[in-house]
């Protein structure tokens, strides 16, 4: 069992909850700790993470700065320096690793991801794994779109997905011009 620290970090698109140890993140999700507490409790139990304490580690401060720099269009390299641990099923981890390979400013479809992990018929399962991604922004599930180019679901909401894609200078015909 590994002990874990959790905290809320502040970003220009709202609070995010982070969890991990001193060396690596286990999750980063949209919403404050108060808003995500039930999800955090389930994650901790599922992955046998032991004692949970609230506080800000140096890694959390670095993550807060990196996320904010990314949001201010200072490049993805800000996020790539944040160490994290993928915790999920082997299939989920394969999907999440494929997400990391989507280049900054580009998008991919669920079918593309399924083919990349050599499971071309597992498109729906890929969507399910993406939905379970515990590392929002760091593992860029916002870069996955529908096969017709439409923006599809996003745990943080389609408004955040739209904003993240705009930050990466990716335009879609479906994007709302007011965002």
């Amino acid at each position: 069992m590994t002990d874990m620290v959790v905290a809320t970090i502040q970003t220009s698109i709202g609070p995010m909850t982070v969890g991990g140890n001193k060396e690596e993140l286990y999750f980063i999700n949209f919403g404050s700790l108060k808003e995500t507490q039930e999800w955090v409790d389930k994650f901790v139990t599922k992955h046998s993470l032991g004692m949970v304490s609230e506080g800000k580690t140096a890694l959390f401060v670095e993550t807060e700065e990196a996320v904010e720099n990314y949001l201010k269009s200072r490049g993805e390299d800000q996020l790539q320096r944040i160490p994290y641990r993928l915790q999920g099923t082997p299939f989920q981890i394969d999907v999440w690793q494929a997400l990391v390979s989507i280049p900054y400013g580009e998008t991919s479809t669920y079918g593309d991801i399924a083919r990349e992990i050599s499971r071309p018929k597992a498109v729906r399962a890929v969507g399910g794994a993406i939905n379970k991604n515990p590392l929002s922004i760091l593992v860029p599930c916002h870069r996955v779109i529908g096969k017709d180019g439409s923006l599809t679901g996003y745990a943080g909401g389609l408004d955040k997905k739209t904003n993240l894609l705009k930050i990466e200078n990716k335009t879609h015909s479906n994007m709302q011009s007011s965002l």
Side-chain angles (χ1 to χ4, degrees), residues 9 18 25 28 58-68 82:
I9 61 172
V18 293
L25 288 184
I28 178 169
L59 177 59
F60 293 176
V61 172
E62 182 182 359
T63 300
E64 187 171 36
E65 291 171 4
V67 168
E68 198 55 33
I82 304 299

Side-chain angles (χ1 to χ4, degrees), residues 71-88:
L71 294 172
K72 291 179 179 173
S73 300
R74 293 189 183 132
E76 181 184 37
D77 61 328
Q78 300 293 316
L79 299 176
Q80 291 176 343
R81 63 188 166 109
I82 304 299
Y84 58 82
R85 181 189 311 169
L86 295 174
Q87 297 188 67

Side-chain angles (χ1 to χ4, degrees), residues 91 95 119 121-130:
F91 180 81
V95 170
R119 301 282 302 272
K121 295 183 179 188
V123 176
R124 290 181 70 120
V126 163
I130 290 171

Side-chain angles (χ1 to χ4, degrees), residues 33-171:
L33 180 55
K34 183 177 180 180
E35 295 167 322
T36 62
Q37 188 66 58
E38 185 178 332
W39 184 93
V40 169
D41 292 343
K42 286 178 184 176
F43 186 89
V44 168
T45 300
K46 182 176 184 174
H47 298 288
S48 303
L49 294 173
M51 283 285 289
V52 177
S53 59
E54 200 171 332
K56 267 201 178 170
T57 66
L59 177 59
F60 293 176
V61 172
E62 182 182 359
T63 300
E64 187 171 36
E65 291 171 4
V67 168
E68 198 55 33
N69 282 330
Y70 163 80
L71 294 172
K72 291 179 179 173
S73 300
R74 293 189 183 132
E76 181 184 37
D77 61 328
Q78 300 293 316
L79 299 176
Q80 291 176 343
R81 63 188 166 109
I82 304 299
Y84 58 82
R85 181 189 311 169
L86 295 174
Q87 297 188 67
T89 67
F91 180 81
Q92 288 171 331
I93 291 171
D94 286 347
V95 170
W96 299 336
Q97 288 173 332
L99 297 178
V100 174
S101 73
I102 303 170
Y104 180 87
E106 294 184 22
T107 57
S108 192
T109 68
Y110 296 93
D112 293 337
I113 299 298
R115 285 185 292 280
E116 183 170 332
I117 64 167
S118 301
R119 301 282 302 272
K121 295 183 179 188
V123 176
R124 290 181 70 120
V126 163
I130 290 171
N131 183 51
K132 302 275 189 223
N133 173 18
L135 290 156
S136 296
I137 300 179
L138 295 180
V139 175
C141 51
H142 62 276
R143 295 183 189 149
V144 180
I145 59 173
K147 68 180 177 182
D148 63 357
S150 64
L151 298 182
T152 54
Y154 186 65
L158 286 181
D159 59 329
K160 286 190 176 63
K161 183 172 188 164
T162 300
N163 285 334
L164 294 173
L165 291 170
K166 281 184 177 183
I167 286 166
E168 295 185 9
N169 296 315
K170 184 68 185 174
T171 57

